Amino acid sequence: MSEDTATDTATDTTTATVADATTPQHDQRNEVLALAIGVAGWLVPGLGHALQKMWGRALGCFLTVGALVFLGVGMRGNVFSSEGGDAFGMLGYVADLGTGSFYFAARALETQGSDVAHAEGDYGTRFLAAAGVLNLLAALHAYEAARGRKA
């Protein structure tokens, strides 16, 4: 083994050791950033994608979730609260809370209360739940994309 080969091998080993030592800290920082992007995407629909410069997905998510929420409230759908007495009430609350900041807008816009006795109000309730689930899925996608998963 020549002296040049031994030097190259030693340099490669040293570089690999330094790279391995910094990787866990770098991965932890990326994981925290990905989590922050996911939470931002939940709080404001589409924000997680906008932070990653995925403008089409961000705009599509914001407009779709917003339209579903405002249609649901306009149809006098039930916006669930945390005081649900049964499992379905809590499930509805989690689905509605999935809309992030739009949940508080829906609570503020629901001045006349819900009217689920009619089909229109029942469909409104479904629109609100669908908006929440859609936003949660979009936030999960933004989180996974920030982690480097295939988007």
Side-chain angles (χ1 to χ4, degrees), residues 76-135:
R76 295 184 60 194
N78 188 11
V79 181
F80 289 94
S81 67
S82 61
E83 291 111 26
D86 61 350
F88 288 111
M90 287 306 295
L91 187 61
Y93 173 66
V94 169
D96 287 351
L97 196 60
T99 61
S101 59
F102 281 137
Y103 173 77
F104 302 107
R107 295 289 296 174
L109 291 173
E110 188 188 37
T111 56
Q112 297 175 343
S114 64
D115 183 19
V116 293
H118 296 96
E120 185 178 355
D122 197 33
Y123 280 118
T125 302
R126 303 305 184 264
F127 280 5
L128 290 164
V133 172
L134 177 66
N135 190 45

Side-chain angles (χ1 to χ4, degrees), residues 15-71:
T15 306
T17 305
V18 171
D20 290 342
T22 60
T23 301
Q25 184 181 15
H26 188 278
D27 288 344
Q28 185 178 15
R29 194 171 4 149
N30 285 344
E31 186 66 29
V32 170
L33 180 63
L35 187 60
I37 285 174
V39 169
W42 166 66
L43 284 174
V44 178
L47 182 59
H49 289 99
L51 291 172
Q52 299 178 71
K53 295 182 173 65
M54 297 180 187
W55 305 115
R57 289 179 192 224
L59 184 63
C61 180
F62 183 81
L63 292 177
T64 304
V65 172
L68 284 171
V69 167
F70 288 112
L71 281 172

